[in-house]
Amino acid sequence: MATKLITSLLYFGIVFYLGWKGWKETKNAGDYMLAGRSVNPFVMAMSYGATFISTSAIIGFGGVAAMFGMSLLWLAFLNIFMGIFIAMVFLGKRTRRMGLVLNCHTFPELLGKRYNSKFIQSFSGGIIFFFIPVYAAAVLTGICRMTEVSLGLPYEWMLVGITAILSLYVITGGMKAVMYTDAFQGTIMVAMMVFLLGYTYYLLGGVIPAHETLTSMADLVPAPLQKGGILGWTQGTKTGSPLWLVIYTTIVYGVGIGVLAQPQLTVRFMTVSSDKELNRAVLYGSIFLLLTIGVVYVVGALSNAIFFNQFGKISIQMAGGNLDKIIPVFIEKVMPPWFSAMFLLAMFAAAMSTLSSQFHIGGTSLAHDVSRNIMRSKNNLSASSISQLGIVATIIATLVWAWLLPPSIVARATAFFFGLSGATFLPAYVFGLYWKGMTKSGAKLSIVGGFTVSMLWMLFIHKKEAAAIGLCETLFGKVTLVADAAPGSTMFLLQWVDPNVIALPISIAIAVGVSLVSRSLAKDHIQLCWQNC
């Protein structure tokens, strides 16, 4: 306990120093929101990766891997291919160039100025501010569950304490403080995950024996999971079953595609000075993701074998039925005592790097994209001051959500925000970078349509959200609109199809269809947008 407290204090001392360094180097709004557009490629890549990979990935999805098995490695592949290669090579460069020529500081501002629409900027900023606290709450829950198990401190205490620590350097230091601390925290995460993988295989006698042991345990998969379609932790899932739909539509597709439209990630493309930095960042980012999420998905699945060998129970039983506690319990019960203290720091790093970026993007979305558009010139506050007020509002909203969310929620809340972002923003964002024929009307209706379809599907069709919210049952007397369909039928299985599978194609169709029949933007504006592209 004393070792954990001392190492934690040392860690926070370094974090506060980097936050102070960011504050000292922040001179204007450009520094506060975009770190002066002069970030080193290694720092950008590590910040991007550390923001991407949080406790929601390590604690939340690590727990999901313990339940569903190696199938989650498809998500790791998609995260690297889409979230790093496609994002940086095909979207990052044009985002940086267009953002520079249009003088954009936030993701909603990029969309708004690309389509010359204050509505798009304000509406997009409002969606981000309103819903990113749900994702941030998932990340905050992950680290608080880790400290609850590791330090034995009450969950509620940690919610308040960690939020207060983050607030100090995010509110004052801006993007420079966020990115400096992200790079430091990302380095810690990689070192811990490499040891975690090596030690896990060591305990199981090597790579091949480890996977053979897990394969032989297929009969230990809980009956409800077998009924839902799980064949085994290495064997995969029965195609077309409810859990196959959950894994591949919500987790793999929803999160893997939704990463391309994450506002807290895309804004990092505008922090570097040239395309060369983005090219260099691809290698750093790919290695980082492989050594973090790739590792934890493997370890999560293998935890079943280790727990059963040592305690006679599988992972979900060891965690008392709470997915969010599987990885923390594994670290405390199985790994060496010294590693527990270091891994706790790695989880602080994962949580703080992502939360700082979420608070930052939520606050700037409210302050820069919503309030300054609606109340322009009605106040005398500086851009940085308004952004700081927005960050405070985002932090409060996150704390409230974290207090209210139920157990085993981390992965689900993350998938919710990724899917919603993809359906809402992705067509307008990608077409805005590559298609000169994309119109203001097409972008508006695509954003509103994608958001609306996604929300309606969650409220009335997708069982997880519909059951939790209860609006469908209140209005129609049943959990979902297709709950009374014949079991096993296509209509019945729609309850496990992620909203993004339906909403994203509709959003794309709206964007293309409306743009083909609506008035184009002025030629001089299009030329300005494509000046550097």
Side-chain angles (χ1 to χ4, degrees):
M1 180 64 136
T3 301
K4 293 177 183 178
L5 290 175
I6 292 171
T7 52
S8 296
L9 290 173
L10 178 62
Y11 164 77
F12 284 121
I14 296 174
V15 167
F16 283 128
Y17 166 74
L18 293 172
W20 173 81
K21 178 179 172 62
W23 172 74
K24 290 287 288 184
E25 296 177 8
T26 298
K27 307 299 181 184
N28 52 49
D31 287 340
Y32 192 85
M33 288 185 277
L34 287 180
R37 301 184 191 268
S38 59
V39 173
N40 177 277
F42 174 79
V43 173
M44 194 285 284
M46 294 300 284
S47 177
Y48 183 96
T51 300
F52 191 170
I53 305 307
S54 63
T55 50
S56 64
I58 297 173
I59 302 298
F61 283 92
V64 171
M67 184 168 68
F68 292 152
M70 297 290 181
S71 297
L72 258 70
L73 286 175
W74 283 109
L75 176 58
F77 166 76
L78 213 57
N79 284 158
I80 294 171
F81 180 70
M82 300 296 288
I84 298 294
F85 179 71
I86 297 297
M88 290 189 180
V89 174
F90 293 99
L91 302 182
K93 294 176 182 178
R94 291 205 172 205
T95 298
R96 188 197 68 78
R97 296 173 197 166
M98 197 174 288
L100 182 62
V101 76
L102 296 177
N103 192 30
C104 300
H105 297 85
T106 65
F107 179 68
E109 186 175 28
L110 176 69
L111 294 178
K113 287 189 174 181
R114 161 61 179 89
Y115 298 109
N116 198 21
S117 170
K118 290 183 179 180
F119 169 80
I120 288 177
Q121 183 177 350
S122 298
F123 186 77
S124 299
I127 290 174
I128 293 168
F129 169 73
F130 191 78
F131 289 102
I132 205 167
V134 180
Y135 176 25
V139 177
L140 183 59
T141 298
I143 183 57
C144 290
R145 290 300 182 195
M146 183 72 208
T147 52
E148 179 187 21
V149 172
S150 182
L151 299 179
L153 297 175
Y155 172 74
E156 293 77 12
W157 288 15
M158 297 312 302
L159 282 180
V160 176
I162 292 173
T163 302
I165 291 169
L166 274 165
S167 304
L168 291 176
Y169 76 86
V170 178
I171 294 173
T172 57
M175 183 59 85
K176 284 195 174 185
V178 168
M179 296 191 78
Y180 285 154
T181 53
D182 282 355
F184 164 65
Q185 291 160 342
T187 304
I188 294 176
M189 290 163 60
V190 168
M192 293 301 101
M193 299 309 288
V194 168
F195 182 86
L196 177 63
L197 180 66
Y199 195 77
T200 298
Y201 278 129
Y202 166 75
L203 290 176
L204 290 170
V207 175
I208 294 176
H211 288 261
E212 288 177 342
T213 299
L214 191 61
T215 299
S216 68
M217 294 172 57
D219 59 316
L220 295 176
V221 173
L225 296 182
Q226 293 188 38
K227 185 179 179 180
I230 300 292
L231 301 175
W233 286 296
T234 62
Q235 293 90 334
T237 313
K238 183 179 178 181
T239 303
S241 64
L243 291 181
W244 184 89
L245 291 171
V246 170
I247 292 170
Y248 290 102
T249 69
T250 297
I251 298 175
V252 175
Y253 172 81
V255 176
I257 300 297
V259 66
L260 294 175
Q262 290 296 294
Q264 74 276 16
L265 298 180
T266 55
V267 74
R268 273 155 174 71
F269 301 142
M270 294 188 279
T271 64
V272 294
S273 59
S274 71
D275 291 351
K276 187 181 295 184
E277 275 71 23
L278 285 172
N279 290 334
R280 292 172 179 168
V282 171
L283 178 61
Y284 298 137
S286 298
I287 294 173
F288 180 85
L289 260 66
L290 180 63
L291 295 179
T292 49
I293 54 173
V295 166
V296 79
Y297 296 164
V298 171
V299 171
L302 291 174
S303 68
N304 288 286
I306 293 178
F307 277 138
F308 190 75
N309 286 347
Q310 295 189 11
F311 303 99
K313 297 179 181 180
I314 61 172
S315 301
I316 193 67
Q317 294 169 336
M318 288 293 295
N322 189 342
L323 288 177
D324 300 338
K325 287 188 176 183
I326 290 176
I327 297 299
V329 171
F330 180 79
I331 299 302
E332 285 300 308
K333 298 288 187 181
V334 174
M335 301 301 288
W338 68 265
F339 182 81
S340 176
M342 296 304 297
F343 191 81
L344 179 61
L345 293 189
M347 291 306 95
F348 271 122
M352 294 178 72
S353 59
T354 301
L355 282 167
S356 61
S357 298
Q358 291 167 330
F359 292 163
H360 189 271
I361 198 70
T364 55
S365 293
L366 176 66
H368 188 76
D369 301 309
V370 179
S371 67
R372 287 180 69 83
N373 259 351
I374 296 174
M375 300 179 291
R376 195 179 296 276
S377 78
K378 290 187 178 181
N379 60 72
N380 297 318
L381 293 174
S382 67
S384 296
S385 297
I386 297 174
S387 295
Q388 288 170 341
L389 292 175
I391 290 172
V392 171
T394 305
I395 290 171
I396 294 172
T398 298
L399 187 59
V400 171
W401 273 111
W403 214 285
L404 298 176
L405 289 174
S408 299
I409 194 63
V410 173
R412 196 194 328 163
T414 302
F416 158 77
F417 185 76
F418 273 63
L420 182 67
S421 296
T424 304
F425 302 126
L426 192 56
Y429 175 46
V430 175
F431 287 144
L433 296 177
Y434 278 94
W435 184 25
K436 295 181 180 180
M438 182 73 174
T439 66
K440 180 192 295 189
S441 297
K444 280 183 180 179
L445 292 176
S446 173
I447 290 172
V448 174
F451 172 75
T452 302
V453 172
S454 186
M455 292 302 296
L456 289 175
W457 194 268
M458 279 188 281
L459 291 171
F460 298 104
I461 303 294
H462 201 234
K463 189 174 181 179
K464 283 289 186 182
E465 290 83 12
I469 295 170
L471 180 62
C472 185
E473 189 164 18
T474 300
L475 295 177
F476 301 103
K478 47 188 176 181
V479 176
T480 71
L481 293 179
V482 295
D484 51 4
S489 66
T490 301
M491 289 293 289
F492 183 79
L493 290 174
L494 288 177
Q495 296 175 97
W496 289 276
V497 174
D498 190 73
N500 200 35
V501 174
I502 307 300
L504 181 56
I506 291 176
S507 183
I508 293 172
I510 292 172
V512 175
V514 174
S515 293
L516 290 175
V517 298
S518 58
R519 187 175 64 183
S520 300
L521 289 159
K523 288 185 178 180
D524 59 342
H525 180 73
I526 293 296
Q527 289 174 352
L528 174 64
C529 292
W530 257 259
Q531 183 174 306
N532 291 333
C533 293

